[in-house]
Amino acid sequence: MARQNSFAHQKLVLEQFLSLLVGFENDFKSVIQKFDDEVTSLYEEQGLMEEIYEDYKATYLNSLNTTLADIQTRIHDEDIPFIEKEIDFISSR
């Protein structure tokens, strides 16, 4: 496939990239909350033993949520601003 090198095309591709990153950022927020809600539901509504729930939450869930939140933060604080900067640069040409 031939590469499109025009500034207009590059801007369009970068805008698609930005949209993808924003979607990933939102997906991570949603996944963190959904996973926490589902594990809590197993405990509160399905009768998962309190000892198992508390141990899992303290040992694994909090760590997993932190890892996912770190990825979401990186997308928000680094990846999105980088692409926005590139869009601004291409737009000024």
Side-chain angles (χ1 to χ4, degrees):
M1 179 174 138
R3 296 235 182 237
Q4 297 282 336
N5 293 321
S6 72
F7 288 128
H9 179 75
Q10 291 304 306
K11 183 178 177 186
L12 177 65
V13 172
L14 286 168
E15 288 170 343
Q16 291 171 344
F17 194 177
L18 179 60
S19 178
L20 178 73
L21 288 170
V22 169
F24 282 151
E25 177 187 19
N26 292 331
D27 289 347
F28 273 103
K29 288 178 189 176
S30 177
V31 165
I32 293 165
Q33 188 60 53
K34 181 175 171 58
F35 192 68
D36 191 63
D37 291 348
E38 291 292 328
V39 171
T40 301
S41 174
L42 289 173
Y43 167 65
E44 292 178 349
E45 298 172 19
Q46 303 297 320
L48 180 66
M49 288 177 51
E50 182 174 359
E51 293 81 8
I52 295 171
Y53 171 72
E54 293 296 335
D55 187 34
Y56 181 78
K57 187 170 181 174
T59 306
Y60 302 104
L61 184 60
N62 292 340
S63 169
L64 179 60
N65 284 349
T66 299
T67 299
L68 293 174
D70 288 346
I71 294 169
Q72 182 268 322
T73 298
R74 188 227 154 148
I75 291 170
H76 180 79
D77 291 349
E78 297 177 33
D79 298 357
I80 290 173
F82 173 78
I83 297 302
E84 289 173 334
K85 181 183 73 146
E86 293 300 317
I87 290 172
D88 288 346
F89 176 78
I90 294 290
S91 295
S92 70
R93 298 287 178 199

